[in-house]
Amino acid sequence: MNAIDLARQPVLAAPATAKKLEKLGLRTRFDLVLHLPLRYEDETHLFRIADAPYGSSVLVEGEVIAAEVQFKPRRQLVVQIEDTSGTLVLRFIHFYPSQQRQLAKGKRVRALGEIRRGFHGDEMVHPKLREVEEGAPLAERLTPIYPTVNGLTQPVLRRMVQSELKAQSLADTLPEMVRQDLDLVPFADAVRLLHSPTPDYSAKTLTDPKLPAWQRLKFDELLAQQLSMRLAYRARRQGRAPQIVDQGELRGRLSASLPFALTGAQQRVVGEILQDLDKPHPMHRLLQGDVGSGKTIVSAMAALAAIEAGFQVALMAPTEILAEQHYIKLSAWLAPLGIEVAWLSGSLKKKQKTESLAAVADGRARLAVGTHALFQGDVVFQNLGLSIVDEQHRFGVGQRLALKDKGGEPHQLMMSATPIPRTLAMSFYADLDVSVIDELPPGRTPIVTKLVGSARRDEVVDYVRRTCAGGGQAYWVCPLIEESEALQLQTAVDTHQQLTEDLAPLSVGLVHGRMKSSEKAEVMGQFSGNELQVLVATTVIEVGVDVPNASLMVIEHAERMGLAQLHQLRGRVGRGSAKSVCVLLFETPLSELAKARLKVIYENTDGFEIARQDLQIRGPGEFLGARQSGLPMLRFANLEEDLELLEAARQLAPEMLKRWPSEAESHLARWLAGREQFLKA
Ligand code: ADP
Ligand code: MG
């Protein structure tokens, strides 16, 4: 059997043990090699009781001179041991009769634990114990402590790992010259050291991420990720997708009907998308552009290219409100061109739904807009050529997969206003092509942001009144109450009532997440039509809502919201030419952290810059809720700390696939055996 096949073999264990190993994510024999200790215990050195230091785990040996079960303050076993230097108390709150026997007077034991100054002198609570002969040899290596699950003891795990370290070749998957170039230690040395370190390493140095052994493992993990991303990218380029040759006729007609011209950035990204569509393999392109940068019209242009070439297009948005807005807007743009647009959402009445499904299935509807309902089993397209996902980061990787399965392999355009930080783009999103709209449409007056303490709420209400009296419109966003949706709803209802009184005779509307979508649409429609001057809303308006005449936004309890969310919300104003204002009301006193975050949003209008600073405050683990989205997270490497290793792995991956394909294959086999399905996203 060759080394790869050996590594991929299932663990050698009885079914019951295998089940426990499976819980730890250990399926293959090589997984055991990569199951690294959390920490270490030092049983290589014996301290005299009198000399043993406080504050860390130590090993001492002595003869039991007293052992008794005490009953005060609670039942416990108290044992005293003695060596030539002094005595020590061993205390057990939980104990078995067998331990009591092991600790009978006259026995010699070794105890490992931390010594503390107790009320009656020095003591160890619940030490690890072993009965020994005098002069028994000490351990030659530090004792690894592994992550484990109930019923799987450290000695059992340790034996299994050790036997795999012996049985497997652990040959390097990095070509020797590459390894030396990168100044990395050999793989075998790295894992042997970490599993059974010699005593010249302290338990502390062994957990230092800068230790060469850890650097090597981090690199290998990142390399496996990069290799699989490259392969996914390649596989996609070998997949088949309809080649869409754009004639430009429909696009030209839409352009002619718009009250504005596309910005240079919009034209450029439309060009990038059209080039992709013109290829016979599926596009996976991410369109990034700040809030208000005009992604919708870009997606419409892409859709028209596909429609003109005879294909259907699907456009999915994460919320009903947003999907509905897209539906309204795109219908208004496309209906005059004779293109039928279908609407599909979870809340459609049965009859309407059947009608929409039929239109999609028989090809009458050339564009289908909706929520995730679009990608459920009962939706069958006649010939889907392009699927577009708005606010892509709202969907998990799972949905990215579902899209792909529908109607073969359509091209995919994903849109997001949330910039992906560079390290994440380089790692988890490395298989996407990216287009960026880096310019806002002209004629926007920058939004003025004001930070106002909640004590001055009345002045803010007054300001809303004056703005609306002058023909403007305003959003009033109610606070996020994470603990209770009911409370959040109640707050919105109360605020609506209060503002209706305070602002009479202005009309104040209310929209929240618990309303039926038809009700929401009605209220939004009234607000768009300026029948309502003020719209009280929960954060449902966070994404994508577009009412250009609204030039004022008040956000209550801004300190409770995430920066990305605040930025998205604020982006709902400043869409027309009127001077726009966003008032962030905050509750005093502010914590230092809240102050720092509000300062970021106050000082910056660029979403990318805000995301960058937000990331500094929060760290990438939080980003995009990556942990929940099913992405295989890195076990050893850390995107913040290991940027250099990530860069090196990224550079090496394509070269390795080209020059050392069999090493690349072994590397992937070791690191990703059985996990490939995660990486096809
Ligand atoms: P987002 O990128 O946040 O999805 P939208 O597509 O909703 O932004 O566009 C925001 C607003 O800007 C819309 O009212 C849209 O019609 C308008 N818009 C888009 N492109 C331009 C342009 N080139 N010039 C003027 N206004 C534009
Ligand atoms: Mg949008």
Side-chain angles (χ1 to χ4, degrees):
M1 194 185 314
N2 70 29
I4 301 181
D5 291 337
L6 180 79
R8 300 189 84 152
Q9 253 190 4
V11 288
L12 303 172
T17 310
K19 228 183 213 151
K20 290 179 187 130
L21 291 171
E22 168 87 35
K23 275 195 204 152
L24 290 167
L26 307 176
R27 296 176 199 93
T28 68
R29 293 181 63 180
F30 201 79
D31 286 346
L32 277 163
V33 172
L34 291 179
H35 191 57
L36 293 170
L38 280 175
R39 58 188 180 85
Y40 301 87
E41 278 171 357
D42 189 351
E43 292 174 274
T44 66
H45 182 81
L46 200 57
F47 283 95
R48 282 153 43 94
I49 289 175
D51 304 340
Y54 296 107
S56 67
S57 188
V58 291
L59 183 69
V60 295
E61 179 181 315
E63 195 186 305
V64 177
I65 53 171
E68 61 168 354
V69 177
Q70 293 179 356
F71 291 90
K72 281 189 180 156
R74 55 184 290 189
R75 188 168 178 269
Q76 50 184 289
L77 175 64
V78 180
V79 175
Q80 202 170 23
I81 61 167
E82 178 187 66
D83 71 2
T84 52
S85 74
T87 63
L88 179 69
V89 167
L90 311 180
R91 193 181 293 280
F92 300 85
I93 317 283
H94 310 281
F95 58 95
Y96 299 103
S98 63
Q99 271 173 313
Q100 228 171 319
R101 279 193 298 279
Q102 191 185 27
L103 287 162
K105 210 167 153 186
K107 299 256 185 184
R108 172 164 289 276
V109 290
R110 275 185 194 157
L112 179 77
E114 196 174 315
I115 298 183
R116 294 199 194 135
R117 270 176 262 238
F119 192 65
H120 301 290
D122 285 358
E123 63 176 38
M124 261 187 200
V125 178
H126 281 223
K128 201 170 119 187
L129 266 191
R130 201 153 68 91
E131 197 182 326
V132 289
E133 301 283 318
E134 186 153 17
L138 287 163
E140 280 167 22
R141 304 276 173 153
L142 298 186
T143 316
I145 307 295
Y146 292 103
T148 190
V149 289
N150 244 337
L152 192 61
T153 64
Q154 291 292 335
V156 169
L157 253 179
R158 229 171 268 147
R159 264 197 305 278
M160 297 190 76
V161 171
Q162 282 304 327
S163 87
E164 289 306 332
L165 287 176
K166 283 199 195 84
Q168 299 196 30
S169 83
L170 307 182
D172 226 283
T173 46
L174 286 187
E176 185 58 18
M177 59 176 275
V178 172
R179 187 183 70 72
Q180 286 184 10
D181 261 7
L182 292 170
D183 207 9
L184 292 167
V185 295
F187 176 76
D189 295 0
V191 284
R192 287 214 181 91
L193 175 72
L194 293 171
H195 283 297
S196 54
T198 48
D200 46 322
Y201 286 91
S202 72
K204 191 151 170 267
T205 45
L206 285 167
T207 45
D208 178 359
K210 290 286 170 224
L211 188 76
W214 280 119
Q215 292 282 305
R216 173 62 204 254
L217 282 156
K218 286 161 179 260
F219 179 80
D220 279 16
E221 179 177 48
L222 290 166
L223 180 63
Q225 185 197 40
Q226 292 296 315
L227 286 170
S228 68
M229 286 294 187
R230 292 296 303 185
L231 289 178
Y233 190 83
R234 270 197 194 172
R236 177 151 49 77
R237 297 188 81 87
Q238 276 152 16
R240 309 291 303 168
Q243 190 166 359
I244 292 169
V245 187
D246 175 56
Q247 306 296 328
E249 212 235 280
L250 288 175
R251 283 194 299 115
R253 282 168 57 197
L254 175 58
S255 292
S257 75
L258 291 175
F260 54 79
L262 294 195
T263 63
Q266 284 171 319
Q267 286 174 23
R268 172 174 49 75
V269 300
V270 168
E272 288 165 3
I273 295 165
L274 294 180
Q275 271 191 11
D276 281 1
L277 295 178
D278 193 359
K279 301 206 175 99
H281 45 76
M283 163 173 87
H284 277 202
R285 186 168 284 276
L286 179 67
L287 174 58
Q288 289 194 326
D290 205 349
V291 183
S293 61
K295 295 183 288 293
T296 320
I297 187 68
V298 170
S299 68
M301 292 296 179
L304 286 180
I307 291 168
E308 192 169 276
F311 295 97
Q312 284 173 300
V313 177
L315 192 157
M316 172 166 83
T319 65
E320 290 258 356
I321 286 205
L322 182 54
E324 215 151 345
Q325 284 234 331
H326 280 327
Y327 172 67
I328 293 165
K329 190 163 222 170
L330 286 156
S331 303
W333 282 338
L334 303 197
L337 308 177
I339 296 167
E340 188 176 331
V341 183
W343 165 239
L344 264 169
S345 85
S347 63
L348 275 185
K349 296 244 168 54
K350 183 124 199 278
K351 190 162 158 268
Q352 298 165 302
K353 188 171 177 196
T354 314
E355 177 47 35
S356 287
L357 287 176
V360 171
D362 66 21
R364 257 177 299 146
R366 307 311 298 158
L367 172 66
V369 179
T371 55
H372 56 274
L374 259 183
F375 294 92
Q376 266 141 29
D378 53 355
V379 187
V380 181
F381 287 86
Q382 189 197 38
N383 63 344
L384 183 63
L386 168 66
S387 65
I388 302 170
V389 182
D390 196 15
E391 307 295 342
Q392 188 270 334
H393 61 278
R394 290 300 192 94
F395 297 97
V397 167
Q399 264 117 343
R400 232 167 117 190
L401 287 169
L403 286 171
K404 204 151 72 171
D405 287 337
K406 210 74 204 175
E409 270 251 55
H411 296 283
Q412 282 190 44
L413 178 64
M414 291 153 262
M415 307 198 282
S416 176
T418 306
I420 298 177
R422 199 168 77 96
T423 49
L424 280 174
M426 277 165 61
S427 51
F428 292 108
Y429 290 83
D431 63 330
L432 290 183
D433 294 307
V434 180
S435 289
V436 182
I437 307 182
D438 51 7
E439 174 186 359
L440 288 180
R444 300 254 168 99
T445 28
I447 304 166
V448 178
T449 300
K450 299 185 181 190
L451 294 175
V452 181
S454 59
R456 292 169 55 203
R457 195 171 185 275
D458 286 350
E459 289 171 46
V460 175
V461 172
D462 210 47
Y463 184 61
V464 171
R465 183 182 302 112
R466 275 181 282 127
T467 303
C468 295
Q473 286 177 278
Y475 294 100
W476 188 289
V477 181
C478 293
L480 183 73
I481 301 172
E482 271 174 357
E483 311 84 62
S484 158
E485 200 194 341
L487 206 57
Q488 175 157 348
L489 187 60
Q490 191 54 48
T491 312
V493 171
D494 292 348
T495 308
H496 174 242
Q497 197 177 5
Q498 188 63 48
L499 287 176
T500 304
E501 282 171 26
D502 291 350
L503 292 170
L506 295 172
S507 310
V508 183
L510 172 64
V511 61
H512 58 73
R514 276 303 180 87
M515 283 160 75
K516 286 212 204 94
S517 61
S518 55
E519 295 168 341
K520 280 190 237 171
E522 196 186 328
V523 176
M524 289 309 296
Q526 289 168 350
F527 189 60
S528 301
N530 205 355
E531 289 164 46
L532 295 171
Q533 284 78 55
V534 179
L535 184 64
V536 175
T538 52
T539 47
V540 289
I541 59 158
E542 181 190 337
V543 276
V545 173
D546 189 30
V547 179
N549 190 48
S551 62
L552 171 60
M553 169 164 296
V554 180
I555 303 177
E556 282 197 83
H557 273 291
E559 79 281 358
R560 288 187 194 166
M561 289 189 202
L563 291 189
Q565 196 177 22
L566 282 174
H567 180 65
Q568 290 261 354
L569 279 170
R570 183 172 61 177
R572 301 306 117 219
V573 293
R575 302 207 149 201
S577 49
K579 173 176 158 252
S580 294
V581 176
C582 177
V583 178
L584 303 179
L585 272 171
F586 61 85
E587 207 61 46
T588 45
L590 280 179
S591 70
E592 283 307 311
L593 182 67
K595 240 181 239 170
R597 297 169 74 243
L598 286 179
K599 185 160 175 275
V600 171
I601 201 85
Y602 176 72
E603 285 176 351
N604 295 281
T605 51
D606 176 351
F608 281 72
E609 183 55 25
I610 289 168
R612 199 183 63 74
Q613 299 199 21
D614 196 15
L615 199 71
Q616 269 181 357
I617 299 178
R618 288 189 308 161
E622 298 278 313
F623 188 81
L624 304 184
R627 242 167 243 289
Q628 285 87 53
S629 67
L631 286 168
M633 294 304 286
L634 297 164
R635 275 191 289 165
F636 305 126
N638 172 330
L639 291 181
E640 271 168 309
E641 286 168 9
D642 303 318
L643 186 60
E644 262 174 58
L645 292 174
L646 174 60
E647 288 277 11
R650 194 167 73 117
Q651 278 182 21
L652 178 60
E655 193 190 351
M656 191 148 163
L657 287 171
K658 211 191 286 155
R659 293 179 60 185
W660 300 285
S662 72
E663 280 88 344
E665 196 192 341
S666 314
H667 193 82
L668 280 168
R670 280 181 172 178
W671 282 83
L672 301 173
R675 298 199 180 81
E676 288 89 342
Q677 71 277 13
F678 287 115
L679 292 145
K680 287 196 184 125

